[in-house]
Amino acid sequence: MPNLDDAVSYEKLDPAGMRARIAELPQQCAAAWRLAQELCLPAAYRRARQVVVAGMGGSAIGGALLNGLVADDCPAPLLSVRGYDLPAHVGADSLVVASSYSGNTEETLSVFDQAVDRGCMVLAMTTGGKLAERAEKLDLPVLRFAYRSAPRAALGYSFILLLGLLSHLGLLRDYSAAVDEAIAVLETWQQELAPKMPTKRNPAKQLALRLVDRLPVVYGAGFLGPVAQRWKGQFNENSKCWAFWEELPEIHHNAVLGYGMPDDVREEITVLMLRSPLDHPRVQARWEATEELLRQARVAQDTVWGRGESALAQMLSLIHCGDYTSLYLAVLNGVDPTAMAPIEQLKRRLAQM
C-alpha cells in the first residue's frame, strides 16, 4: 500500500497535480468573489422571479451548494437542472445560468438554446468553448473565468461565482464577510489536511485509511445535503470507487430499514456523517438516533464536523476535508485522481451515435 507521507507516492500517482488544485480552493474562492463583483449585467436581470442553474457534474454542484446555502435567504426560487431540458414553467421572468467549465457540455448547451428560445434572461458561466461563442454571438453576458483544472477541481469558481452573482444582482444580502471568514477557515484547516502533514496528525489521511476497500455512504442534512453529494462525487471521480449519499431527515423514513441486509454489504459499508452545530435542533437529535441505529446494525460509521461560524464556512471546510480524503484514497487505491478514461470513452461513444 502506498505511503501517504511519502512525496514520491504523489509524484507517481498524481502527475496532473490534483493535490495542488485542492490546495488552491481558498484562492479560487477569493478570485471568484472579486470576479463576480466586476460583472456588468442588464438591469432587467435584477427583476428575475426565479434562478435556474443548468450544468452537469463538477459544473452543476455549485448550483446545488448555492441552493443549500441561500434557500432561506433568497426571495427568488432556485432550481438546478442536470439534463437536456428546461422545465415548462421556466420562461421570460427566469434567470438561466448555463454553467459549463469547458463550454462544450451537450446537456448544458441544449438548455442554453431552450432558454434563449423562450426569451429567458440568460448568462453563460464558463472558461470558453461553444457556450461562450453562442452567448457572445447573441450579445448575452458571459461570466468567464480562467482556471486550468478538471471541472470538479474548480469548485471555488462554480460555487462562489454564483453566490457573488446573486449578491451582485441584489437577490441576496452581502456575503462578503462570510466569504472572508470561509477563506480564513480553509487556510487554517488546510494546514492539518495537506500532504505535508503526517498521517498521525492528519484527519483526512486517517479517514482515507479507514475507507480502503470500503463502500462510503455519505450523510448530510439541510444545507450540508449537497456537501454530502460533493463527497460522493469526489470519491467516484478522484478515488475511482463506488460511493453514495443520502439526506437527513429523509433517511429516517426509508433507508434505516435497510441497515441489516444483505450481511455481506453491511460489513463493507462505512457511513460518513457530515455534521454542523448549525443543523436544526431536531436534526441534531436525529443524528444521535442514527448513530445508535448504525451501532445496533453493526455498520461502521465516522463523523466529520464542519468548521467556522457561518454556514458557508461550515460547507467549504467540509468540502475541503472531503476533497483531501478523496485524494488520499486515490493514492491508497493506486489510481490517478485526475484520469477520467470511462467518461472520455462515453463521450466518444455518444459522438458516434
Side-chain angles (χ1 to χ4, degrees):
M1 182 180 295
N3 182 354
L4 293 178
D5 295 336
D6 182 4
V8 175
S9 297
Y10 302 98
E11 294 169 4
K12 178 181 178 181
L13 293 169
D14 184 25
M18 180 61 75
R19 60 195 185 281
R21 304 292 79 77
I22 293 173
E24 290 167 356
L25 180 59
Q27 290 76 28
Q28 285 186 42
C29 292
W33 185 254
R34 291 193 301 268
L35 183 60
Q37 305 310 306
E38 298 168 358
L39 183 65
C40 293
L41 294 171
Y45 282 40
R46 292 179 173 272
R47 297 191 291 273
R49 299 293 297 274
Q50 69 172 331
V51 179
V52 179
V53 180
M56 304 297 299
S59 298
I61 192 63
L65 292 166
L66 177 73
N67 201 351
L69 177 66
V70 307
D72 293 337
D73 293 338
C74 185
L78 302 174
L79 173 67
S80 293
V81 173
R82 297 175 184 244
Y84 290 93
D85 295 312
L86 273 176
H89 64 82
V90 178
D93 63 349
S94 303
L95 169 60
V96 176
V97 181
S99 174
S100 170
Y101 175 88
S102 68
N104 298 317
T105 308
E106 65 177 46
E107 299 95 328
T108 308
L109 290 170
S110 173
V111 172
F112 173 87
D113 291 341
Q114 292 173 46
V116 170
D117 290 343
R118 295 188 196 180
C120 301
M121 295 168 272
V122 183
L123 180 145
M125 195 170 82
T126 182
T127 62
K130 296 177 183 177
L131 181 59
E133 292 175 3
R134 294 185 190 183
E136 290 169 347
K137 184 177 180 179
L138 295 168
D139 200 26
L140 293 171
V142 178
L143 186 45
R144 189 192 293 264
F145 61 97
Y147 185 75
R148 292 180 61 84
S149 71
R152 62 188 179 279
L155 178 116
Y157 288 95
S158 65
F159 179 22
I160 300 301
L161 279 176
L162 291 172
L163 181 64
L165 170 65
L166 266 61
S167 178
H168 183 63
L169 288 173
L171 295 174
L172 289 176
R173 59 180 172 83
D174 184 6
Y175 270 77
S176 297
V179 171
D180 288 343
E181 187 227 353
I183 291 170
V185 168
L186 288 175
E187 291 173 341
T188 300
W189 189 208
Q190 189 174 98
Q191 296 175 23
E192 299 178 46
L193 301 174
K196 65 181 180 180
M197 179 61 69
T199 300
K200 63 182 180 181
R201 299 200 303 274
N202 189 317
K205 289 182 180 180
Q206 294 169 12
L207 180 55
L209 284 165
R210 292 194 294 273
L211 291 174
V212 173
D213 295 329
R214 308 287 298 180
L215 172 62
V217 180
V218 192
Y219 287 177
F223 70 100
L224 294 181
V227 177
Q229 185 177 14
R230 165 70 176 188
W231 276 57
K232 177 266 183 189
Q234 291 295 82
F235 285 134
N236 295 154
E237 295 190 72
N238 287 347
S239 311
K240 310 298 188 287
C241 67
W242 283 92
F244 299 93
W245 73 283
E246 301 238 31
E247 287 188 272
L248 268 72
E250 176 64 19
I251 65 165
H252 286 173
H253 299 269
N254 39 63
V256 296
L257 295 174
Y259 282 172
M261 297 178 65
D263 286 342
D264 290 346
V265 173
R266 180 196 64 200
E267 294 172 0
E268 303 297 332
I269 287 175
T270 296
V271 172
L272 303 174
M273 293 176 282
L274 308 185
R275 298 189 58 178
S276 166
L278 302 178
D279 286 334
H280 189 283
R282 291 301 294 166
V283 169
Q284 301 287 9
R286 287 179 179 273
W287 279 123
E288 304 304 323
T290 302
E291 291 178 358
E292 182 178 345
L293 287 172
L294 289 169
R295 283 194 299 270
Q296 292 173 353
R298 301 191 308 279
V299 176
Q301 57 182 287
D302 256 295
T303 299
V304 186
W305 287 86
R307 294 194 172 193
E309 299 296 326
S310 67
L312 181 61
Q314 295 271 321
M315 294 176 81
L316 286 171
S317 63
L318 282 169
I319 286 169
H320 214 31
C321 183
D323 288 358
Y324 271 115
T325 301
S326 71
L327 169 71
Y328 299 136
L329 187 56
V331 172
L332 293 169
N333 287 341
V335 297
D336 180 348
T338 303
M340 300 290 285
I343 290 180
E344 295 303 323
Q345 178 182 343
L346 276 170
K347 289 180 178 179
R348 291 193 297 269
R349 184 69 183 94
L350 288 167
Q352 297 169 358
M353 293 179 175

